[in-house]
Amino acid sequence: MKRAMVMLALGGFSSLLLNAQFGGILNRAKEKVEGAKQKAKPVSDRAERAIDNFTPWNPQEEQEIGEATAAKMIAMFGALDTPKLVRYVNLVGQAVAQYAPRQVPYRFGILDSDIVGAFALPGGFIFITKTALEGMSDEAQLAGALGHEIVHVSERHLESAIRSKKNSAWAVEEAKSKTLPTPDYLRKKADAFLYDMFNMRLSQDKEDGADERGTLMATQAGYAASGLLEFLRTLSAVSAKPENQRAFGQLLSTHPSFDARISHLTPIVERSAKSGKTLEARFRGTVK
């Protein structure tokens, strides 16, 4: 716990700002697309589908796909580049991410969007929207929400769901491709991944697992276990209003109901230690 509480202290913990972390992604992704392994030998459609369905991405592929997809997300929504706020979200995210079962270079950004959501991309790229951030009331809620997305990355939830669904955008794209990879491989993969991310519904057990383990990681970092649960309760109340349906469209269409997630998480939080911090004053001083 001593290490965890040190991670909660803003002083002495450095984190790259959004420009440093994401600023070069567009250029790097473009360069990788332009020079993407053009000497690869052609393979059959059947072989491609087998490769895609049964072989997990290696670390380099995961990073490249993540970078290309992150670049697409930034182009679609725009990234909020308020240095103090971006640094703060990264500090909280890194404090939680140190407890992830699988370690990749986790990086956190804020999308300039009026939808409510958070997104986990391959390779550790995690986004939260400014509207979701504005709907929170303390740092523990942010830690729990980021923990949920960290679990999705760590356990490769969306990747495994895509592989198991043969008619996903990813599988269709693989079936059309004649070489592995083509020069625009990353661009097409990013398009396919984003389509699946916005349209594919993860199973109840994966979402419950991400809620549970994300909460656990937040508590290991010194936060109150109630953070994510309280945020889900807020989302449940706000999303019920007709005027908010558009803002919650992606969450409502691809996630289990807030009430189902709350029911699963409540007894877990009630059994947890009560000594964690919410850090409401620090959150409001930075975000509000």
Side-chain angles (χ1 to χ4, degrees):
M1 183 60 71
K2 181 178 179 181
R3 182 187 178 203
M5 297 310 297
V6 169
M7 294 300 291
L8 286 174
L10 290 180
F13 181 74
S14 62
S15 178
L16 297 179
L17 300 181
L18 182 62
N19 276 339
Q21 293 183 327
F22 291 154
I25 287 177
L26 292 169
N27 290 333
R28 290 201 304 273
K30 181 178 179 181
E31 290 171 1
K32 289 174 181 176
V33 167
E34 296 295 334
K37 306 171 186 174
Q38 298 183 36
K39 296 182 180 180
K41 295 180 181 179
V43 296
S44 69
D45 290 347
R46 185 174 181 181
E48 288 178 31
R49 288 194 295 272
I51 291 171
D52 182 63
N53 289 335
F54 300 109
T55 306
W57 302 324
N58 64 41
Q60 181 180 349
E61 290 171 333
E62 185 181 13
Q63 283 294 314
E64 289 178 345
I65 293 167
E67 284 189 3
T69 309
K72 288 277 186 181
M73 292 285 284
I74 292 170
M76 287 168 58
F77 297 105
L80 198 65
D81 195 8
T82 305
K84 180 182 178 182
L85 185 56
V86 174
R87 180 175 182 267
Y88 177 69
V89 169
N90 272 273
L91 284 166
V92 177
Q94 295 295 344
V96 178
Q98 67 174 320
Y99 297 102
R102 187 170 70 99
Q103 288 296 312
V104 297
Y106 290 100
R107 289 152 287 196
F108 304 86
I110 306 169
L111 294 177
D112 190 8
S113 172
D114 61 358
I115 68 173
V116 176
F119 307 94
L121 307 184
F125 295 93
I126 293 173
F127 291 103
I128 189 166
T129 64
K130 68 174 184 181
T131 307
L133 201 58
E134 290 165 356
M136 297 173 178
S137 59
D138 60 50
E139 192 170 307
Q141 293 185 15
L142 174 59
L146 295 179
H148 175 100
E149 301 304 326
I150 291 166
V151 172
H152 281 322
V153 173
S154 178
E155 301 192 5
R156 308 176 88 148
H157 282 164
L158 188 56
E159 180 185 345
S160 63
I162 288 171
R163 293 184 188 287
S164 66
K165 192 173 177 62
K166 302 301 187 291
N167 63 341
S168 73
W170 188 277
V172 171
E173 178 55 43
E174 279 298 315
K176 292 191 301 184
S177 197
K178 297 299 180 184
T179 60
L180 244 189
T182 58
D184 58 352
Y185 174 79
L186 292 176
R187 177 182 61 80
K188 291 182 177 180
K189 293 306 183 190
D191 288 341
F193 187 91
L194 281 177
Y195 181 87
D196 284 332
M197 183 178 71
F198 283 116
N199 291 280
M200 185 173 289
R201 187 181 181 91
L202 288 180
S203 64
Q204 178 84 47
D205 66 314
K206 283 187 170 59
E207 289 297 340
D208 285 344
D211 285 342
E212 182 175 346
R213 287 183 283 278
T215 294
L216 173 61
M217 289 191 301
T219 61
Q220 289 176 299
Y223 292 103
S226 59
L228 178 57
L229 178 61
E230 291 304 320
F231 185 50
L232 290 174
R233 286 171 174 162
T234 299
L235 294 182
S236 179
V238 175
S239 66
K241 299 178 180 179
E243 63 268 26
N244 294 327
Q245 293 302 299
R246 179 182 178 276
F248 285 86
Q250 194 270 344
L251 273 176
L252 294 173
S253 65
T254 60
H255 288 66
S257 71
F258 293 126
D259 288 344
R261 294 172 65 186
I262 290 168
S263 295
H264 174 81
L265 195 55
T266 297
I268 295 167
V269 170
E270 290 175 347
R271 294 194 300 268
S272 301
K274 310 300 181 185
S275 59
K277 306 296 184 181
T278 60
L279 301 178
E280 180 179 356
R282 186 162 78 185
F283 180 85
R284 291 188 175 278
T286 306
V287 177
K288 302 299 183 180

